[in-house]
Amino acid sequence: MSILVTGGAGYIGSHTCVELLNAGYEIIILDNFYNSKSESLNRIKEITNKDFKFYEGDIRDREFLDNLFATENIEAVIHFAGLKAVGESCQKPLEYYDNNIGGTVTLLLAMKDAGVKKIVFSSSATVYGSSNPSPLKEEMPIGGTTNPYGTTKLYIENILQDLCKSDDEWSVCTLRYFNPIGAHKSGRIGENPNGIPNNLMHYITQVAVGKLDHLNVFGDDYDTHDGTGVRDYIHVVDLSIGHVYAVKKVLAETGINIYNLGTGNGYSVLDIVKAFSKASGIEIKYEIAPRRDGDIATCFSDPSKAKNELGWVAERGLEEMCEDSWRWQSENPNGF
């Protein structure tokens, strides 16, 4: 029996595949390489010294999915595949709704018909909106999302809730990510998006290797210790290990469970800049820019539910996140 990983060639997906293989699971990766590279698959094999099956395809292609489920002995699905750039989602909302929501519904229909009713879903802290105070807890109301990307995650969470209410055979684990950064300790896999980076750490590393001139810091007048926005940054390997625990959960019981995956600590943009400069020995040039619409001052998690119910705790600190990010970028300046 295998775990199907949609979007398994991407940033979080590739790191999670490494952890699944190291934990003894058989995996099948599905990806269309829209925002990932095929080389990541070779690197996963290199790191783990283990093989796996791979299918190139799109989660919106029902015939393709039906054939995949008919061909392979799949026990559960980890669903990463989706568009994830906040800014782009505001420019291309229809594409985001089509891919993220439409693709997920198509995947769930194919799973239902194949009798595979166990799924770990890649959600986001964006579902909490902008009005809940930090630390954010799973029982807080969700909604009030500030961009189409976040709204797609919110809608999919609601779809999964309705699905579990309608059929008690389903087992769903929804993981609300905070801000993943870092890379595998080997330096062989890391964040490698197409185009201009949307995430803070990848932007910083691009400045460090000379691909970008400077970092724009959006706002320095927030009610935080240095005026810049505070977020909960989590090492991508810790995040990936959280998925291994979530798979154990969905394989063991039915129903729906929702967990924050974060550290519970908040770091500002300038905290990250300073920590990265220390780790890399490179001064990061930055300029203060106007605030972005929808940004809030502070956002960090209460991760205690994941600790109490899954036994999962984020173990890697900010220094390690920065060191691993720099190792990946400096050894792979052009990505894969």
Side-chain angles (χ1 to χ4, degrees):
M1 301 287 275
S2 299
I3 309 298
L4 175 65
V5 185
T6 73
Y11 174 45
I12 302 171
S14 61
H15 286 81
T16 298
C17 287
V18 166
E19 298 305 324
L20 287 166
L21 289 166
N22 286 341
Y25 289 95
E26 292 185 4
I27 66 169
I28 299 166
I29 296 178
L30 164 61
D31 208 296
N32 66 357
F33 300 126
Y34 177 82
N35 195 32
S36 59
K37 302 291 191 298
S38 60
E39 176 59 23
S40 67
L41 304 177
N42 297 327
R43 303 284 182 93
I44 294 168
K45 294 175 184 177
E46 176 189 320
I47 292 167
T48 62
N49 199 30
K50 294 183 178 180
D51 204 357
F52 51 83
K53 292 182 179 179
F54 169 73
Y55 287 83
E56 183 172 356
D58 195 298
I59 56 170
R60 294 169 294 182
D61 185 339
R62 178 62 192 274
E63 183 179 358
F64 167 80
L65 291 177
D66 286 342
N67 289 332
L68 174 58
F69 281 105
T71 303
E72 300 292 348
N73 192 7
I74 296 168
E75 190 173 16
V77 176
I78 301 180
H79 180 33
F80 292 109
L83 304 178
K84 64 172 187 174
V86 169
E88 183 184 62
S89 77
C90 297
Q91 304 300 319
K92 300 178 177 180
L94 290 178
E95 286 86 343
Y96 272 67
Y97 290 124
D98 173 48
N99 188 88
N100 293 9
I101 299 175
T104 301
V105 170
T106 301
L107 174 65
L108 291 169
L109 285 167
M111 290 175 63
K112 178 176 74 73
D113 286 353
V116 180
K117 297 184 177 182
K118 301 176 186 300
I119 185 170
V120 176
F121 173 60
S122 164
S123 191
S124 166
T126 55
V127 301
Y128 288 111
S130 58
S131 54
N132 285 312
S134 291
L136 296 168
K137 302 181 180 182
E138 291 87 348
E139 62 268 21
M140 287 178 169
I142 59 175
T145 47
T146 56
N147 55 76
Y149 162 74
T151 303
T152 66
K153 296 296 187 183
L154 176 67
Y155 286 176
I156 294 167
E157 283 205 20
N158 289 336
I159 289 166
L160 292 169
Q161 293 272 9
D162 289 341
L163 183 58
C164 288
K165 288 177 186 174
S166 72
D167 183 349
D168 60 12
E169 291 182 356
W170 279 89
S171 180
V172 174
C173 203
T174 296
L175 302 179
R176 293 174 179 165
Y177 305 166
F178 281 71
N179 295 71
I181 60 175
H184 192 269
K185 187 69 68 181
S186 66
R188 300 300 288 158
I189 56 173
E191 190 173 17
N192 185 44
N194 296 325
I196 298 295
N198 289 285
N199 297 331
L200 174 63
M201 181 57 80
H202 191 55
Y203 211 107
I204 290 173
T205 62
Q206 294 282 280
V207 173
V209 295
K211 293 207 160 194
L212 296 170
D213 178 66
H214 67 277
L215 169 72
N216 286 316
V217 177
F218 297 104
D220 64 348
D221 57 351
Y222 287 103
D223 184 18
T224 63
H225 65 275
D226 62 14
T228 64
V230 169
R231 299 292 183 267
D232 188 338
Y233 295 92
I234 176 174
H235 198 296
V236 67
V237 172
D238 280 329
L239 184 68
S240 299
I241 292 170
H243 291 76
V244 179
Y245 284 81
V247 165
K248 293 178 184 175
K249 186 79 169 178
V250 298
L251 293 178
E253 60 186 63
T254 56
I256 189 164
N257 290 284
I258 299 168
Y259 299 103
N260 288 333
L261 293 187
T263 65
N265 300 310
Y267 298 103
S268 74
V269 174
L270 292 184
D271 287 337
I272 300 294
V273 170
K274 291 171 186 174
F276 183 86
S277 293
K278 181 180 178 182
S280 65
I282 297 173
E283 199 66 30
I284 300 301
K285 180 181 176 184
Y286 67 88
E287 296 179 2
I288 304 301
R291 291 187 183 191
R292 293 180 300 192
D293 289 342
D295 276 355
I296 58 177
T298 301
C299 175
F300 62 93
S301 70
D302 177 348
S304 58
K305 185 181 178 188
K307 177 182 179 180
N308 295 335
E309 296 187 12
L310 296 179
W312 172 88
V313 177
E315 298 179 347
R316 293 157 180 81
L318 181 57
E319 182 178 354
E320 191 170 356
M321 298 180 209
C322 292
E323 289 173 352
D324 292 343
S325 292
W326 177 233
R327 184 182 302 106
W328 154 252
Q329 192 66 76
S330 61
E331 294 180 4
N332 303 269
N334 297 312
F336 289 115

Short mmCIF file of all heavy atoms in Angstrom, two decimals, residues 45-82:
data_model
loop_
_atom_site.label_atom_id
_atom_site.label_comp_id
_atom_site.label_asym_id
_atom_site.label_seq_id
_atom_site.Cartn_x
_atom_site.Cartn_y
_atom_site.Cartn_z
N LYS A 45 15.57 10.77 -4.35
CA LYS A 45 16.17 9.43 -4.41
C LYS A 45 17.61 9.44 -3.90
O LYS A 45 18.04 8.53 -3.18
CB LYS A 45 16.14 8.91 -5.85
CG LYS A 45 14.75 8.65 -6.39
CD LYS A 45 14.78 8.26 -7.86
CE LYS A 45 13.36 8.09 -8.42
NZ LYS A 45 13.35 7.78 -9.87
N GLU A 46 18.34 10.48 -4.24
CA GLU A 46 19.74 10.61 -3.81
C GLU A 46 19.84 10.69 -2.29
O GLU A 46 20.68 10.03 -1.67
CB GLU A 46 20.33 11.86 -4.45
CG GLU A 46 21.75 12.18 -4.03
CD GLU A 46 22.18 13.55 -4.54
OE1 GLU A 46 21.84 13.91 -5.69
OE2 GLU A 46 22.85 14.26 -3.78
N ILE A 47 18.98 11.51 -1.68
CA ILE A 47 19.02 11.71 -0.23
C ILE A 47 18.64 10.45 0.53
O ILE A 47 19.26 10.08 1.52
CB ILE A 47 18.09 12.88 0.18
CG1 ILE A 47 18.63 14.22 -0.34
CG2 ILE A 47 17.92 12.95 1.70
CD1 ILE A 47 17.63 15.35 -0.26
N THR A 48 17.59 9.77 0.05
CA THR A 48 17.03 8.63 0.79
C THR A 48 17.59 7.29 0.35
O THR A 48 17.44 6.29 1.07
CB THR A 48 15.50 8.58 0.61
OG1 THR A 48 15.19 8.38 -0.78
CG2 THR A 48 14.84 9.88 1.10
N ASN A 49 18.20 7.26 -0.84
CA ASN A 49 18.65 6.00 -1.43
C ASN A 49 17.49 5.02 -1.58
O ASN A 49 17.65 3.79 -1.45
CB ASN A 49 19.78 5.36 -0.61
CG ASN A 49 20.57 4.33 -1.42
OD1 ASN A 49 20.68 4.42 -2.64
ND2 ASN A 49 21.08 3.31 -0.74
N LYS A 50 16.31 5.58 -1.86
CA LYS A 50 15.10 4.77 -2.05
C LYS A 50 14.40 5.21 -3.32
O LYS A 50 14.48 6.37 -3.73
CB LYS A 50 14.16 4.89 -0.85
CG LYS A 50 14.75 4.29 0.42
CD LYS A 50 13.77 4.37 1.58
CE LYS A 50 14.36 3.74 2.83
NZ LYS A 50 13.43 3.79 3.98
N ASP A 51 13.67 4.29 -3.93
CA ASP A 51 12.96 4.58 -5.17
C ASP A 51 11.47 4.74 -4.90
O ASP A 51 10.96 4.36 -3.83
CB ASP A 51 13.20 3.46 -6.18
CG ASP A 51 13.02 3.92 -7.62
OD1 ASP A 51 12.65 5.10 -7.82
OD2 ASP A 51 13.22 3.11 -8.54
N PHE A 52 10.77 5.26 -5.87
CA PHE A 52 9.32 5.45 -5.76
C PHE A 52 8.76 5.59 -7.16
O PHE A 52 9.49 5.80 -8.13
CB PHE A 52 9.00 6.70 -4.93
CG PHE A 52 9.73 7.93 -5.38
CD1 PHE A 52 9.27 8.70 -6.44
CD2 PHE A 52 10.92 8.30 -4.77
CE1 PHE A 52 9.95 9.81 -6.87
CE2 PHE A 52 11.63 9.42 -5.19
CZ PHE A 52 11.14 10.18 -6.25
N LYS A 53 7.44 5.49 -7.27
CA LYS A 53 6.78 5.68 -8.56
C LYS A 53 6.40 7.14 -8.75
O LYS A 53 6.13 7.86 -7.78
CB LYS A 53 5.53 4.81 -8.65
CG LYS A 53 5.84 3.31 -8.70
CD LYS A 53 4.57 2.49 -8.84
CE LYS A 53 4.90 1.00 -8.91
NZ LYS A 53 3.66 0.18 -9.02
N PHE A 54 6.39 7.57 -10.00
CA PHE A 54 6.04 8.95 -10.31
C PHE A 54 5.09 8.99 -11.51
O PHE A 54 5.27 8.26 -12.48
CB PHE A 54 7.28 9.78 -10.64
CG PHE A 54 6.93 11.12 -11.23
CD1 PHE A 54 6.40 12.12 -10.43
CD2 PHE A 54 7.10 11.36 -12.59
CE1 PHE A 54 6.04 13.35 -10.98
CE2 PHE A 54 6.74 12.58 -13.15
CZ PHE A 54 6.22 13.57 -12.33
N TYR A 55 4.09 9.86 -11.41
CA TYR A 55 3.17 10.11 -12.52
C TYR A 55 3.13 11.61 -12.79
O TYR A 55 2.96 12.40 -11.86
CB TYR A 55 1.75 9.64 -12.18
CG TYR A 55 1.57 8.14 -12.17
CD1 TYR A 55 1.90 7.39 -11.04
CD2 TYR A 55 1.05 7.47 -13.27
CE1 TYR A 55 1.73 6.01 -11.02
CE2 TYR A 55 0.87 6.10 -13.26
CZ TYR A 55 1.22 5.37 -12.14
OH TYR A 55 1.04 4.02 -12.12
N GLU A 56 3.29 11.98 -14.06
CA GLU A 56 3.12 13.39 -14.43
C GLU A 56 1.68 13.59 -14.89
O GLU A 56 1.22 12.92 -15.81
CB GLU A 56 4.09 13.78 -15.55
CG GLU A 56 4.00 15.26 -15.91
CD GLU A 56 5.07 15.71 -16.88
OE1 GLU A 56 5.95 14.89 -17.23
OE2 GLU A 56 5.03 16.89 -17.29
N GLY A 57 0.98 14.47 -14.22
CA GLY A 57 -0.41 14.70 -14.56
C GLY A 57 -0.99 15.83 -13.73
O GLY A 57 -0.33 16.41 -12.86
N ASP A 58 -2.26 16.12 -13.99
CA ASP A 58 -2.95 17.25 -13.37
C ASP A 58 -4.13 16.74 -12.54
O ASP A 58 -4.88 15.86 -12.99
CB ASP A 58 -3.46 18.19 -14.48
CG ASP A 58 -3.86 19.55 -13.96
OD1 ASP A 58 -4.79 19.63 -13.13
OD2 ASP A 58 -3.23 20.55 -14.38
N ILE A 59 -4.29 17.30 -11.34
CA ILE A 59 -5.38 16.84 -10.46
C ILE A 59 -6.75 17.20 -11.01
O ILE A 59 -7.76 16.69 -10.53
CB ILE A 59 -5.24 17.41 -9.03
CG1 ILE A 59 -5.17 18.95 -9.05
CG2 ILE A 59 -4.03 16.80 -8.33
CD1 ILE A 59 -5.27 19.59 -7.67
N ARG A 60 -6.82 18.04 -12.03
CA ARG A 60 -8.11 18.37 -12.63
C ARG A 60 -8.52 17.38 -13.71
O ARG A 60 -9.64 17.46 -14.23
CB ARG A 60 -8.06 19.79 -13.22
CG ARG A 60 -7.89 20.88 -12.18
CD ARG A 60 -7.56 22.21 -12.80
NE ARG A 60 -6.24 22.19 -13.45
CZ ARG A 60 -5.70 23.24 -14.05
NH1 ARG A 60 -6.36 24.38 -14.13
NH2 ARG A 60 -4.49 23.13 -14.60
N ASP A 61 -7.64 16.44 -14.02
CA ASP A 61 -7.88 15.47 -15.09
C ASP A 61 -8.49 14.21 -14.48
O ASP A 61 -7.79 13.33 -14.00
CB ASP A 61 -6.55 15.16 -15.79
CG ASP A 61 -6.71 14.25 -17.01
OD1 ASP A 61 -7.75 13.55 -17.10
OD2 ASP A 61 -5.79 14.23 -17.84
N ARG A 62 -9.81 14.10 -14.52
CA ARG A 62 -10.51 13.01 -13.84
C ARG A 62 -10.15 11.65 -14.44
O ARG A 62 -9.95 10.66 -13.71
CB ARG A 62 -12.03 13.25 -13.89
CG ARG A 62 -12.86 12.14 -13.26
CD ARG A 62 -12.56 12.00 -11.76
NE ARG A 62 -13.12 10.79 -11.22
CZ ARG A 62 -14.39 10.67 -10.76
NH1 ARG A 62 -15.19 11.71 -10.77
NH2 ARG A 62 -14.81 9.53 -10.27
N GLU A 63 -10.08 11.56 -15.76
CA GLU A 63 -9.75 10.28 -16.39
C GLU A 63 -8.36 9.81 -15.96
O GLU A 63 -8.16 8.62 -15.66
CB GLU A 63 -9.82 10.41 -17.91
CG GLU A 63 -9.57 9.11 -18.65
CD GLU A 63 -9.65 9.25 -20.16
OE1 GLU A 63 -9.95 10.35 -20.65
OE2 GLU A 63 -9.41 8.24 -20.85
N PHE A 64 -7.42 10.74 -15.92
CA PHE A 64 -6.07 10.41 -15.48
C PHE A 64 -6.09 9.89 -14.04
O PHE A 64 -5.45 8.87 -13.72
CB PHE A 64 -5.18 11.65 -15.59
CG PHE A 64 -3.86 11.52 -14.88
CD1 PHE A 64 -2.81 10.83 -15.45
CD2 PHE A 64 -3.68 12.08 -13.63
CE1 PHE A 64 -1.60 10.69 -14.79
CE2 PHE A 64 -2.48 11.96 -12.96
CZ PHE A 64 -1.43 11.26 -13.54
N LEU A 65 -6.81 10.57 -13.16
CA LEU A 65 -6.87 10.15 -11.76
C LEU A 65 -7.53 8.79 -11.61
O LEU A 65 -7.05 7.94 -10.84
CB LEU A 65 -7.64 11.19 -10.93
CG LEU A 65 -6.97 12.55 -10.72
CD1 LEU A 65 -7.90 13.47 -9.94
CD2 LEU A 65 -5.63 12.40 -9.98
N ASP A 66 -8.61 8.57 -12.33
CA ASP A 66 -9.29 7.27 -12.25
C ASP A 66 -8.34 6.14 -12.66
O ASP A 66 -8.31 5.07 -12.03
CB ASP A 66 -10.53 7.26 -13.16
CG ASP A 66 -11.67 8.08 -12.57
OD1 ASP A 66 -11.64 8.36 -11.35
OD2 ASP A 66 -12.58 8.44 -13.33
N ASN A 67 -7.58 6.36 -13.72
CA ASN A 67 -6.62 5.34 -14.16
C ASN A 67 -5.52 5.12 -13.12
O ASN A 67 -5.10 3.97 -12.89
CB ASN A 67 -5.98 5.75 -15.50
CG ASN A 67 -6.97 5.66 -16.65
OD1 ASN A 67 -7.90 4.87 -16.60
ND2 ASN A 67 -6.75 6.47 -17.68
N LEU A 68 -5.09 6.21 -12.48
CA LEU A 68 -4.05 6.10 -11.46
C LEU A 68 -4.54 5.27 -10.27
O LEU A 68 -3.84 4.34 -9.82
CB LEU A 68 -3.64 7.51 -11.00
CG LEU A 68 -2.67 7.59 -9.82
CD1 LEU A 68 -1.38 6.85 -10.11
CD2 LEU A 68 -2.36 9.06 -9.51
N PHE A 69 -5.72 5.57 -9.79
CA PHE A 69 -6.26 4.83 -8.65
C PHE A 69 -6.58 3.37 -9.00
O PHE A 69 -6.48 2.49 -8.15
CB PHE A 69 -7.50 5.53 -8.09
CG PHE A 69 -7.19 6.71 -7.22
CD1 PHE A 69 -7.38 8.00 -7.68
CD2 PHE A 69 -6.70 6.54 -5.93
CE1 PHE A 69 -7.08 9.10 -6.89
CE2 PHE A 69 -6.41 7.62 -5.13
CZ PHE A 69 -6.60 8.91 -5.61
N ALA A 70 -6.93 3.14 -10.26
CA ALA A 70 -7.21 1.77 -10.70
C ALA A 70 -5.93 0.96 -10.84
O ALA A 70 -5.93 -0.26 -10.63
CB ALA A 70 -7.96 1.79 -12.02
N THR A 71 -4.83 1.64 -11.17
CA THR A 71 -3.56 0.97 -11.41
C THR A 71 -2.79 0.70 -10.14
O THR A 71 -2.17 -0.37 -9.98
CB THR A 71 -2.68 1.81 -12.37
OG1 THR A 71 -3.40 2.05 -13.58
CG2 THR A 71 -1.36 1.12 -12.67
N GLU A 72 -2.81 1.66 -9.22
CA GLU A 72 -1.97 1.59 -8.02
C GLU A 72 -2.78 1.24 -6.77
O GLU A 72 -3.97 1.53 -6.69
CB GLU A 72 -1.26 2.93 -7.81
CG GLU A 72 -0.36 3.35 -8.96
CD GLU A 72 0.86 2.47 -9.11
OE1 GLU A 72 1.15 1.66 -8.20
OE2 GLU A 72 1.54 2.58 -10.16
N ASN A 73 -2.11 0.62 -5.82
CA ASN A 73 -2.73 0.26 -4.55
C ASN A 73 -2.47 1.40 -3.55
O ASN A 73 -1.47 1.39 -2.82
CB ASN A 73 -2.13 -1.05 -4.05
CG ASN A 73 -2.91 -1.63 -2.88
OD1 ASN A 73 -3.98 -1.14 -2.52
ND2 ASN A 73 -2.38 -2.68 -2.28
N ILE A 74 -3.37 2.38 -3.55
CA ILE A 74 -3.17 3.59 -2.76
C ILE A 74 -4.00 3.52 -1.48
O ILE A 74 -5.20 3.25 -1.51
CB ILE A 74 -3.56 4.84 -3.58
CG1 ILE A 74 -2.61 4.97 -4.78
CG2 ILE A 74 -3.52 6.10 -2.73
CD1 ILE A 74 -3.06 5.97 -5.83
N GLU A 75 -3.34 3.80 -0.37
CA GLU A 75 -3.99 3.72 0.94
C GLU A 75 -4.48 5.08 1.43
O GLU A 75 -5.50 5.19 2.09
CB GLU A 75 -3.00 3.13 1.95
CG GLU A 75 -3.63 2.77 3.29
CD GLU A 75 -2.65 2.02 4.18
OE1 GLU A 75 -1.43 2.05 3.91
OE2 GLU A 75 -3.11 1.42 5.18
N ALA A 76 -3.73 6.13 1.12
CA ALA A 76 -4.08 7.48 1.58
C ALA A 76 -3.41 8.49 0.66
O ALA A 76 -2.51 8.16 -0.12
CB ALA A 76 -3.62 7.70 3.02
N VAL A 77 -3.88 9.75 0.74
CA VAL A 77 -3.36 10.83 -0.10
C VAL A 77 -2.88 11.97 0.77
O VAL A 77 -3.55 12.34 1.75
CB VAL A 77 -4.46 11.34 -1.07
CG1 VAL A 77 -3.96 12.54 -1.88
CG2 VAL A 77 -4.93 10.22 -2.00
N ILE A 78 -1.72 12.52 0.44
CA ILE A 78 -1.31 13.82 0.98
C ILE A 78 -1.42 14.80 -0.16
O ILE A 78 -0.80 14.63 -1.21
CB ILE A 78 0.14 13.80 1.53
CG1 ILE A 78 0.28 12.76 2.64
CG2 ILE A 78 0.50 15.18 2.07
CD1 ILE A 78 1.69 12.70 3.23
N HIS A 79 -2.23 15.83 0.04
CA HIS A 79 -2.60 16.72 -1.06
C HIS A 79 -1.93 18.09 -0.93
O HIS A 79 -2.39 18.95 -0.19
CB HIS A 79 -4.12 16.87 -1.10
CG HIS A 79 -4.63 17.75 -2.19
ND1 HIS A 79 -4.01 17.87 -3.41
CD2 HIS A 79 -5.72 18.59 -2.23
CE1 HIS A 79 -4.69 18.72 -4.17
NE2 HIS A 79 -5.72 19.17 -3.47
N PHE A 80 -0.82 18.25 -1.66
CA PHE A 80 -0.11 19.54 -1.73
C PHE A 80 -0.46 20.33 -2.98
O PHE A 80 -0.34 21.56 -2.97
CB PHE A 80 1.42 19.30 -1.77
CG PHE A 80 2.02 18.75 -0.52
CD1 PHE A 80 2.49 17.44 -0.47
CD2 PHE A 80 2.14 19.52 0.62
CE1 PHE A 80 3.07 16.92 0.67
CE2 PHE A 80 2.71 19.02 1.77
CZ PHE A 80 3.18 17.71 1.80
N ALA A 81 -0.81 19.64 -4.06
CA ALA A 81 -0.90 20.28 -5.38
C ALA A 81 -1.84 21.48 -5.34
O ALA A 81 -3.02 21.36 -5.02
CB ALA A 81 -1.39 19.26 -6.41
N GLY A 82 -1.29 22.65 -5.68
CA GLY A 82 -2.10 23.86 -5.70
C GLY A 82 -1.25 25.07 -5.99
O GLY A 82 -0.03 25.06 -5.78
#
